[in-house]
Amino acid sequence: MMGESPKSAQFQMIWSRLEARKWLSHGFVSELTGVEKQPQEGQNGTVKYKVFGSRWNIGGIAPPDDLDLKELLDTATDYYDIYVLGFQEIVPLNARNVLGPKQRSAATRWDALIGDALNNRRRRHDTMAPQRQWRQDDEEFRCVMSEQMVGILVSVWARSGLRRHVRHTGASRIGAGVLGRLGNKGAVSVRFLLHGTSFCFVCCHLASGGEDGDALRRNADAAGIVSRTSFSGRRDGLTQEELQLPRKIFDHDRMVLLGDLNYRVAIDGAEALQLVRARKWGMLLGNDELLLELSRGRRFDGWREGLVTFAPTYKYKPNSEWFYWRTDDDSAIAGHQKQHRAPAWCHRILWRGKGMRQTRYESCRGYRLSDHRPVRAVFHAVCEVAEGVDSKMVKHADILCSEMVS
């Protein structure tokens, strides 16, 4: 600039380098800001990430064009590194969808809605100068993988600055529906390594029904999913064993189960109705089939669940906050047999493995698209980072800083 003194120009150059390093360091090493232990000679360090997980049974209803998922994904109040979204019944579970070829149109639509919710807000509220536009790009989210089996969909998203550290992705699909094999029920499991730590997310839809014996069918589905799920294949000419990658669900370091587990409330219909009318969720929850399973240490031994403080997630009347409950008079008028469908916590999120701490667990009652309510959870997950990786990334940021301001 004309008239600018050499000292002023030098000061501007130093200041530009400091600013560039500040923002570049955020983009390249923001994932290292939670380091619990600085790596010593010959040791590894650890870093914390915020992982968001949710699950929602759509009930076979196509999402409207104006459906906004920002509230569900909590984009306005918090910031996460990894998003894992699990859905059930993104298509109607009819014979055509179960037996016919896989239809990706519904999954593509949901992935687009997720991407819009995660990234549009950042574009719309970005007030940074044009020279800092690269930082916005680093904070955008990219789809790591999207896997579908009939109506089950798992969509995994990572912050752009973290995407390169998500490696060795894999998926497994296990049908547990008709004949014990078809995909109207079952699970889609996804696996990836984040730095040196393996994660497995199991999105499942277990057997439905509130009759005697149905809980045992759900137990059998869960056991079959765990025993039959396997990650296999070759990467870069090497087998899973040669790469030393986990093959089974329990081989992973961190595991999360997101599902419409369909467990109901084991209580008489009339008594349940009184508790629902009084909104005494604690007493109703005391008869929850899944909590009984967890306490007995059977099919879900080793899995943990956060404290359930939210209202039942199923079954609601369409587009309302009213639970579906067919009374005797309603049944007589409709010409059907008596039926009491007690509200239940069908939709749950469980986890197992060390290095994970759940910080939130709640339902999102504002979404009334189906007769199910979505549930979400937030975890702080610790990952192992190889020695020196943080210093290398800072050095790389310094090199780019020099290139930007030179």
Side-chain angles (χ1 to χ4, degrees):
M1 183 179 296
M2 293 183 60
E4 187 175 36
S5 67
K7 287 186 177 181
S8 176
Q10 184 180 15
F11 175 79
Q12 290 291 340
M13 178 67 73
I14 294 174
W15 179 254
S16 297
R17 288 179 182 271
L18 289 173
E19 282 291 285
R21 174 171 180 173
K22 173 184 175 182
W23 294 112
L24 273 172
S25 295
H26 174 86
F28 281 94
V29 299
S30 62
E31 58 263 44
L32 297 171
T33 57
V35 171
E36 290 186 324
K37 179 179 62 178
Q38 294 296 332
Q40 304 296 322
E41 187 70 26
Q43 295 182 350
N44 290 338
T46 58
V47 57
K48 285 183 181 178
Y49 291 101
K50 295 180 72 173
V51 180
F52 178 101
S54 75
R55 45 84 34 236
W56 189 10
N57 188 318
I58 308 302
I61 301 173
D65 293 336
D66 61 349
L67 181 63
D68 191 339
L69 297 180
K70 289 196 294 292
E71 181 182 348
L72 172 63
L73 303 182
D74 196 30
T75 60
T77 61
D78 214 333
Y79 190 83
Y80 306 102
D81 299 293
I82 299 285
Y83 282 85
V84 181
L85 293 307
F87 299 91
Q88 296 83 29
E89 296 190 47
I90 63 169
V91 297
L93 299 184
N94 53 39
R96 178 180 178 181
N97 289 326
V98 174
L99 299 174
K102 181 171 68 174
Q103 301 291 331
R104 279 290 301 177
S105 58
T108 301
R109 175 62 178 147
W110 281 104
D111 285 338
L113 289 170
I114 296 168
D116 288 344
L118 290 177
N119 293 321
N120 282 355
R121 179 186 69 88
R122 289 171 173 78
R123 298 191 187 102
R124 186 166 58 251
H125 293 287
D126 179 41
T127 58
M128 294 184 295
Q131 61 268 28
R132 295 179 182 171
Q133 187 64 40
W134 52 266
R135 179 172 179 255
Q136 173 191 332
D137 295 337
D138 180 72
E139 288 188 345
E140 288 191 345
F141 284 82
R142 308 295 182 190
C143 185
V144 174
M145 56 195 311
S146 177
E147 301 293 335
Q148 178 190 3
M149 180 183 71
V150 187
I152 301 176
L153 170 68
V154 184
S155 189
V156 182
W157 296 70
R159 193 164 41 79
S160 294
L162 189 62
R163 174 64 181 86
R164 63 188 175 279
H165 299 298
V166 180
R167 302 173 295 113
H168 299 303
T169 59
S172 176
R173 302 169 185 85
I174 300 296
V178 179
L179 303 177
R181 285 292 186 270
L182 296 188
N184 58 306
K185 293 291 191 295
V188 174
S189 302
V190 296
R191 183 276 311 282
F192 58 84
L193 266 64
L194 181 52
H195 292 297
T197 300
S198 60
F199 288 80
C200 182
F201 289 82
V202 183
C203 180
C204 60
H205 194 183
L206 305 185
S208 61
E211 304 298 327
D212 293 341
D214 288 336
L216 297 179
R217 294 172 53 220
R218 290 185 270 276
N219 291 349
D221 284 355
I225 289 168
V226 170
S227 64
R228 294 166 54 200
T229 295
S230 180
F231 299 93
S232 60
R234 300 176 67 89
R235 289 294 177 89
D236 301 324
L238 300 176
T239 65
Q240 297 277 114
E241 290 78 7
E242 291 169 332
L243 289 169
Q244 296 184 332
L245 297 176
R247 292 180 58 89
K248 307 294 287 183
I249 292 175
F250 292 164
D251 294 338
H252 293 79
D253 300 314
R254 321 277 186 263
M255 294 146 279
V256 179
L257 188 152
L258 314 144
D260 183 351
L261 304 185
N262 257 321
Y263 284 100
R264 308 303 171 88
V265 175
I267 190 173
D268 176 75
E271 183 180 355
L273 177 57
Q274 293 179 355
L275 295 175
V276 170
R277 285 174 172 171
R279 303 183 70 83
K280 294 184 178 180
W281 305 134
M283 296 180 65
L284 193 66
L285 191 63
N287 296 275
D288 176 74
E289 291 176 342
L290 178 59
L291 290 183
L292 295 175
E293 289 295 319
L294 289 168
S295 66
R296 293 165 181 166
R298 296 196 295 195
R299 295 303 182 189
F300 293 92
D301 187 30
W303 292 92
R304 291 181 287 172
E305 183 182 23
L307 185 63
V308 178
T309 60
F310 46 87
T313 60
Y314 178 81
K315 177 178 184 174
Y316 288 85
K317 293 182 179 180
N319 196 30
S320 78
E321 276 297 294
W322 295 97
F323 289 109
Y324 176 91
W325 197 291
R326 179 176 294 165
T327 65
D328 294 351
D329 291 339
D330 293 334
S331 300
I333 294 174
H336 297 120
Q337 296 180 349
K338 296 179 180 180
Q339 178 183 356
H340 290 300
R341 188 188 301 270
W345 289 265
C346 293
H347 317 104
R348 313 290 272 272
I349 299 177
L350 312 178
W351 83 95
R352 64 182 292 156
K354 297 180 180 179
M356 291 189 72
R357 180 171 63 89
Q358 188 183 76
T359 60
R360 293 174 64 184
Y361 188 32
E362 58 199 9
S363 66
C364 303
R365 299 179 61 82
Y367 288 88
R368 303 175 181 177
L369 180 64
S370 74
D371 53 0
H372 306 254
R373 294 294 179 265
V375 172
R376 65 189 179 194
V378 176
F379 298 93
H380 286 188
V382 176
C383 293
E384 295 180 357
V385 181
E387 177 192 3
V389 65
D390 49 348
S391 59
K392 290 179 181 179
M393 293 171 71
V394 173
K395 181 178 180 181
H396 187 32
D398 285 337
I399 293 173
L400 288 181
C401 287
S402 300
E403 295 175 352
M404 288 181 61
V405 301
S406 61

